[in-house]
Amino acid sequence: MSVKLPSVWFRKRLKSELPILEAEGLLSAEQAAAVRQRYRLDALASESTGALLTTIYFIGATLVGIGIISFVAAHWTYLSRELKLTLILGVMLAAHISGFLLWKVSGRWPKLGHTLVLLGTLIFGANIGLVAQIFHVQSNFYNGFAAWTLGAVAVAWAVRSVPNAVLGLITAAVFGFGNLDSPLFIWFAPAVLILFVPLVYYLRSQWVLWGTLLVSGFFWPMSVQNAFEDGFSEYRFAAAASLLGLAFFCWGLAGWRSPQGRFVSVPCWIVGLFWSILTVFLASFIQYAQDMATEVIEMNESTGQFPLLILAGVLAAGAVGLAVYSGPVLKNRLSVIFLVLSGAAFAATALLPQTSTFDIVLIAANVIFLLMTGAFFTAVWCWRTVGSFGPQYCWRPGISWPARSSMKPD
Amino acid sequence: MAKQTVFFALAVGFQLAILAAVPARQIHARLTGTLITIRTAPVDPYDFLSGYHVVLRYEISQVSKEQWAAVSSPQNPAATVYAVLKKGPEDIWSLESLSRTLPKNLSPEQIAVKGRIHRDQILYGIEHFFIPEEGRNELETALRNNRERALAQIRVDKYGNAALIRLIVQGKTYEY
């Protein structure tokens, strides 16, 4: 029977608590043994050895890979081009094939095999450099990283490899940094999402999810900004960042609806909230809000565009409200007070004489900021009281939210 | 298991295909192209993946006002253009005119090279000449002392793809 185990952190705490519970007579020796077996506490030591081994393997592969890349970059002339190409292609294929055999075919050395497949993809990067060198292919070095990303993603799909996917994200980020001023840069973040979101679900990996959110999120507002040639625009940056935050936040909400999809929720919420909070934080400064409002007014007069930011703000507030409503947050008095305060502030905004767009932007930004700060502290509160953001222990049907008395020991 | 083997083989094959695709145009130009000589000057940085190289600025990349007239009007920044080169004295080729499409019916004294517009010049994808660390100083000194007299030999295939073959500075050939 396979039971989904809670985090290693929790199990370590449990392991250290069990002797105390036993000494206090709360648990009998048999009960303690049963708990120990249920949470596989005796396997903790070998699990951490395994994790250490994996770490050492991966560090080793990275070092060997970097070594081969610098060998290529040194452009050694004592070996002929043909020999060098044969050699490094051969090493790449050898790493891939031996890794696959050890990992998937014989199955006796899965970790070592997986590491060798990762090494194969690292040497693939070295090979890109080598063929570019031999044929004097003119490119900026970061364009090679895009080709590297594609190769890494292909292997990540083929053998369900998280390290290969993470390598693909790192190389994609390098490619992104190199192309900040490219006219096609606006397609970078969408391309990262198209390439990696299916992988996130296929691998069910929070590592890949974090990487995808960070890489696409980091470059998106910048790329929207750079897509226009008329200089920095507060409104455009804010709209891009808040829409991105909202999209990630809603992704987290959508994931939350099914138990299989829940692994995406917390990272999506955190990154989504970060971008939304950043936007409204910026907009809550008078100068920024003023510039933004001026732009919005000009846009309304010249092209009649709907103020995207306010739409995004309202949607984001709705999404936060929905999340707060659907969770255990209502059981926290503090967050209820926050909600009531925010609602009152919204009502006040609506009732105020609407003198200018500027006032609305400023007030709305401050209200949204208040709301999100509330949501953030609520998340921290969940984490402090139950050792997680709440989800896996408290919201599972059949497991009740801890009683208030158990939250505060004294 | 068998299915995964196929997938893995496909993934590795995909990596090999990328490795073939990266220099594909250069390989085609090397195998089928016409060898021509053009003038060049260096500018030199380091490439993380492929090592040291000199960045070359070709005479045929510099375009005069009259030549721009044939392809100007609102340009997108990376627009493709074809440069028609003409054979000159000492068998050195130089820029004659520009064209939006691949020119047909060129005389044997002419050849078309594909490039893209980058600011006020044209890049042909042959601007990087990778050099070994040990030959670096020698080549750099030679290039520095002969700024306007360095020559590059390239091969150009019938589609206008160019591959950089070697540099010639003061009669000495550099090919890596």
Side-chain angles (χ1 to χ4, degrees):
Chain A
M1 187 185 76
S2 81
V3 185
K4 175 119 176 58
L5 292 172
S7 70
V8 172
W9 179 85
F10 172 79
R11 290 163 65 207
K12 278 185 179 160
R13 280 295 296 272
L14 188 61
K15 193 178 183 178
S16 64
E17 289 288 321
L18 267 185
I20 302 172
L21 294 176
E22 231 182 307
E24 287 175 357
L26 278 169
L27 292 181
S28 68
E30 296 84 54
Q31 285 170 323
V35 170
R36 210 167 269 128
Q37 204 190 353
R38 163 67 178 75
Y39 288 99
R40 288 191 223 144
L41 299 183
D42 298 323
L44 267 174
S46 65
E47 274 175 33
S48 59
T49 314
L52 182 68
L53 196 64
T54 311
T55 313
I56 293 174
Y57 276 153
F58 283 160
I59 292 174
T62 311
L63 291 177
V64 173
I66 290 174
I68 294 177
I69 290 170
S70 30
F71 171 74
V72 167
H75 202 151
W76 214 35
T77 44
Y78 297 105
L79 302 176
S80 72
R81 293 192 294 217
E82 294 77 10
L83 189 61
K84 251 197 293 191
L85 191 60
T86 318
L87 186 72
I88 296 181
L89 268 181
V91 177
M92 169 184 140
L93 289 176
H96 270 327
I97 292 169
S98 63
F100 188 74
L101 291 176
L102 289 175
W103 179 17
K104 298 285 181 182
V105 179
S106 88
R108 285 183 56 198
W109 300 87
K111 282 175 186 154
L112 183 61
H114 195 166
T115 310
L116 284 170
V117 171
L118 176 69
L119 180 63
T121 304
L122 283 164
I123 303 173
F124 167 64
N127 269 308
I128 295 174
L130 184 65
V131 292
Q133 182 188 76
I134 289 176
F135 295 102
H136 301 292
V137 177
Q138 188 254 325
S139 69
N140 294 306
F141 76 91
Y142 39 79
N143 288 351
F145 280 79
W148 199 348
T149 302
L150 294 178
V153 166
V155 169
W157 273 102
V159 287
R160 288 188 92 112
S161 165
V162 172
N164 273 284
V166 171
L167 176 62
L169 280 161
I170 295 171
T171 53
V174 176
F175 174 67
F177 275 113
N179 279 290
L180 289 176
D181 55 355
S182 156
L184 297 174
F185 189 52
I186 188 137
W187 297 108
F188 178 75
V192 167
L193 289 175
I194 289 168
L195 210 54
F196 285 97
V197 170
L199 254 186
V200 166
Y201 280 97
Y202 182 61
L203 301 173
R204 306 188 59 75
S205 161
Q206 280 201 335
W207 283 77
V208 180
L209 174 65
W210 274 109
T212 308
L213 293 174
L214 292 178
V215 173
S216 58
F218 182 79
F219 289 108
W220 169 250
M222 247 190 290
S223 68
V224 171
Q225 195 59 52
N226 293 357
F228 299 85
E229 282 176 356
D230 53 355
F232 187 79
S233 146
E234 281 82 3
Y235 167 69
R236 213 180 286 138
F237 187 88
S242 61
L243 281 178
L244 178 88
L246 176 67
F248 284 171
F249 198 89
C250 291
W251 181 13
L253 278 182
W256 185 254
R257 297 178 64 88
S258 77
Q260 290 79 28
R262 282 185 192 181
F263 72 102
V264 302
S265 292
V266 171
C268 284
W269 286 337
I270 292 175
V271 178
L273 275 179
F274 169 78
W275 281 108
S276 307
I277 289 180
L278 181 78
T279 318
V280 286
F281 177 66
L282 289 175
S284 62
F285 288 99
I286 287 186
Q287 190 58 51
Y288 197 97
Q290 217 156 21
D291 291 347
M292 203 153 65
T294 316
E295 275 182 55
V296 173
I297 292 167
E298 277 169 10
M299 248 181 249
N300 276 332
E301 282 169 358
S302 59
T303 63
Q305 263 180 295
F306 189 78
L308 212 53
L309 172 78
I310 294 175
L311 175 69
V314 171
L315 288 174
V320 174
L322 189 63
V324 168
Y325 176 74
S326 66
V329 172
L330 287 178
K331 300 189 181 174
N332 173 359
R333 267 180 227 159
L334 246 182
S335 53
V336 173
I337 295 172
F338 254 117
L339 274 180
V340 173
L341 270 179
S342 314
F346 257 130
T349 314
L351 294 175
L352 274 178
Q354 296 181 0
T355 46
S356 70
T357 319
F358 158 60
D359 287 338
I360 299 173
V361 170
L362 190 63
I363 294 169
N366 279 298
V367 167
I368 297 168
F369 188 47
L370 189 72
L371 248 176
M372 287 181 168
T373 315
F376 176 74
F377 282 115
T378 307
V380 172
W381 176 83
C382 285
W383 186 71
R384 287 287 303 257
T385 46
V386 285
S388 85
F389 287 105
Q392 55 267 52
Y393 302 114
C394 322
W395 294 0
R396 200 187 276 160
I399 299 177
S400 59
W401 184 248
R404 226 185 140 66
S405 57
S406 71
M407 289 167 197
K408 289 211 168 116
D410 38 12
Chain B
M1 184 53 65
K3 211 162 113 189
Q4 199 159 36
T5 310
V6 173
F7 284 151
F8 185 66
L10 285 176
V12 175
F14 181 62
Q15 289 190 344
L16 291 174
I18 290 176
L19 291 177
V22 168
R25 290 167 182 212
Q26 278 78 3
I27 292 175
H28 188 255
R30 267 174 191 255
L31 295 178
T32 66
T34 314
L35 188 67
I36 65 170
T37 308
I38 51 180
R39 289 187 195 282
T40 184
V43 194
D44 66 334
Y46 182 75
D47 182 319
F48 177 70
L49 286 182
S50 304
Y52 288 101
H53 57 271
V54 281
V55 174
L56 302 168
R57 187 172 298 149
Y58 294 103
E59 188 190 56
I60 58 168
S61 295
Q62 319 301 322
V63 183
S64 71
K65 268 195 184 133
E66 301 82 67
Q67 286 163 337
W68 271 131
V71 292
S72 66
S73 79
Q75 290 289 350
N76 77 54
T80 301
V81 287
Y82 291 87
V84 179
L85 309 188
K86 192 177 165 52
K87 197 172 178 177
E90 298 172 51
D91 271 1
I92 292 170
W93 297 62
S94 57
L95 183 63
E96 186 182 51
S97 61
L98 295 178
S99 154
R100 282 285 186 81
T101 53
L102 182 63
K104 304 277 179 221
N105 308 322
L106 293 173
S107 76
E109 303 283 283
Q110 287 177 314
I111 197 160
V113 192
K114 187 159 78 183
R116 65 191 165 77
I117 299 175
H118 180 75
R119 304 217 175 88
D120 59 341
Q121 51 178 345
I122 299 177
L123 299 182
Y124 298 96
I126 49 174
E127 281 74 11
H128 285 189
F129 187 70
F130 291 97
I131 47 180
E133 250 174 277
E134 41 185 6
R136 187 170 155 235
N137 288 337
E138 187 197 338
L139 178 61
E140 278 176 10
T141 316
L143 282 171
R144 208 171 299 128
N145 296 338
N146 298 279
R147 260 202 172 279
E148 305 299 317
R149 281 166 292 172
L151 300 175
Q153 285 194 323
I154 63 175
R155 279 192 187 276
V156 182
D157 67 17
K158 60 182 173 181
Y159 306 111
N161 295 317
L164 178 55
I165 308 295
R166 59 183 75 91
L167 291 186
I168 304 169
V169 188
Q170 287 271 293
K172 189 163 186 248
T173 303
Y174 298 88
E175 182 174 2
Y176 301 107

